[in-house]
Amino acid sequence: MTTTITITGAGGQIGYALLFRIAAGDLLGPDEKVRLRLLEIPQGIGAAEGAALELQDGAFGLLEHVEVTDDAATGFDGADLALLVGARPRGPGMERGDLLAANGGIFGPQGAAIAANAAPGVRVTVVGNPANTNALIAAASADGVPAERFTALTRLDENRARAQFAQTLGVPVATVGRLPIWGNHSATQFPDVSHATVAGEPAAEALAAIVGDVPAWLDETFIPRVAKRGAEIIRVRGSSSVASAASATIDHVRDWVRGTEDWTSAGVVSHGEYGVPAGLISSFPVRAVDGEWRVVEGLEIGEDARRRIDASVAELVEERDAVRSLGLI
Ligand code: NAX
């Protein structure tokens, strides 16, 4: 079998990191061939073409074909998976409304092009920021494609949270589970440790034994560190997260396609779970079953968690209302 994968912004940094992981089989495994479509704007075509030449030089056995284009219909033609990475960054003096409008001009037409050209079962992952609301705009413009096929990446936030948690407890990161992100991929996101496990066992006691005052640690250390990790990377590295973002994108799509063993996090369309208004693309604890994300239901939500989830969801509502008033959804 061959899977057709469209990557927008493929000439950019995250695109460059993603392409080689996909070609090496990290996304779909060692037996699935891939056909890549790199969709760029004219200014990015040279970088995408250069990446395509390097892909050729990688002599990847799984890579059947690479096409570079600035035409959305060609770019999404037959796409089974669409990774929407290219977005308009916030420029100097740009207000949030300007940013949402500029991205609406990208994600609206791309949603329509996906509906018109992609494979019937297309799965879309939005990485470009503001990811949740860009996914909402794309979904609203994709007539006939179920909103459940549009997701926003919050896996990088979860990976960051699991890594920080593991470091605090002095355990291997792979043993940390059930640490979902709620809400928006922004500084209001809520990494929720209240259900966290280590090696399958509840970790609350071990955490309290190490940090003492858990609420203070959450407030002053853990939550700000995770929510502001992107800014920390920029400060230390001199440029935004790239390889970790590409890696999280691989994790998200791989789990979506192949299924999860336990919980993870993804921005998915709400059906009203946990009081999140229906239709918003919000991050939830999710499982992937039979190729579909399912929100983990029935969790107990404490008072502090409720307040934090509500604050992040309120931001998503504001973004939705802003794009609605701009006529983008
Ligand atoms: P770059 O600026 O390196 O690359 C973006 C690329 O997108 C450029 O090559 C540009 O030409 C292209 N592009 C712009 N408009 C396009 C359009 N309409 N169609 C196709 N291509 C288009 O940014 P990079 O570092 O790769 O980051 C990409 C996006 O990921 C940004 O929006 C960034 O904010 C977002 N991120 C999201 C993360 C997440 O967890 N959801 C984390 C990492 C990252 O910050």
Side-chain angles (χ1 to χ4, degrees), residues 127-154:
V127 177
N129 281 319
N132 299 53
T133 297
N134 288 343
L136 181 75
I137 295 170
S141 308
D143 271 353
V145 185
E148 287 73 14
R149 302 274 182 71
F150 287 81
T151 64
L153 183 76
T154 55

Side-chain angles (χ1 to χ4, degrees), residues 213-235:
D213 185 347
V214 173
W217 174 78
L218 289 174
D219 233 17
E220 291 156 25
T221 307
F222 179 74
I223 293 176
R225 185 90 195 266
V226 172
K228 295 181 188 160
R229 184 67 162 186
E232 182 181 347
I233 300 289
I234 292 174
R235 184 166 46 74

Side-chain angles (χ1 to χ4, degrees), residues 9 11-14 39-41 85-87 106 110 127-129 153 185 245:
Q13 301 233 66
I14 295 174
L39 178 62
E40 260 291 350
I41 49 176
V85 180
I106 295 173
Q110 286 185 354
V127 177
N129 281 319
L153 183 76
H185 168 68

Side-chain angles (χ1 to χ4, degrees), residues 216-301:
W217 174 78
L218 289 174
D219 233 17
E220 291 156 25
T221 307
F222 179 74
I223 293 176
R225 185 90 195 266
V226 172
K228 295 181 188 160
R229 184 67 162 186
E232 182 181 347
I233 300 289
I234 292 174
R235 184 166 46 74
V236 176
R237 185 177 178 263
S239 140
S240 59
S241 312
V242 174
S244 55
S247 195
T249 307
I250 299 268
D251 291 343
H252 171 107
V253 179
R254 185 199 54 222
D255 282 355
W256 191 359
V257 172
R258 295 206 235 159
T260 47
E261 278 172 20
D262 203 359
W263 307 352
T264 184
S265 311
V268 297
V269 67
S270 171
H271 301 98
E273 296 92 342
Y274 298 100
V276 177
L280 288 182
I281 306 263
S282 173
S283 190
F284 286 102
V286 288
R287 284 193 175 89
V289 184
D290 299 334
E292 288 175 15
W293 289 118
R294 300 206 183 138
V295 172
V296 176
E297 299 211 59
L299 298 178
E300 247 181 65
I301 307 293

